[in-house]
Amino acid sequence: MPYVNIKITNEGATAEQKATLIEGVTRLLQETLNKNPATTVVVIEEVPTDNWGIGGRSVTELRRETK
C-alpha cells in the first residue's frame, strides 16, 4: 500500500488543484510501479509559510522580498 505525503505552502491551492495532484500521483504509481489505486494513499499537507524555511530564512520573508 503506497503512502505519499505532499507538503506545500498554504498559499491558496484550490480543491481542484489538490484533487488533480491526488489523481495524478495515484495514476503515476499505478503506471510506473503497477500499484493498486484502491490501496494508494495520498495526503496533502499545507504548511504555513512561517514554518517553511529555505536557505535559513522563512518563505514568508522570502515572499516579502519578491513583492
Side-chain angles (χ1 to χ4, degrees):
M1 166 174 46
Y3 173 87
V4 178
N5 183 277
I6 300 172
K7 294 187 183 213
I8 59 174
T9 56
N10 64 344
E11 296 177 282
T14 66
E16 182 179 87
Q17 289 169 323
K18 293 176 203 175
T20 299
L21 281 172
I22 292 167
E23 188 277 327
V25 168
T26 301
R27 184 173 17 87
L28 181 64
L29 284 165
Q30 179 182 25
E31 293 170 358
T32 306
L33 299 176
N34 199 32
K35 296 298 181 180
N36 182 353
T39 60
T40 297
V41 176
V42 179
V43 175
I44 298 173
E45 290 184 67
E46 293 185 273
V47 179
T49 58
D50 286 342
N51 296 346
W52 194 300
I54 301 170
R57 299 168 64 203
S58 74
V59 171
T60 302
E61 183 181 340
L62 294 169
R63 295 282 193 266
R64 270 196 300 263
E65 289 180 3
T66 61
K67 289 184 180 181

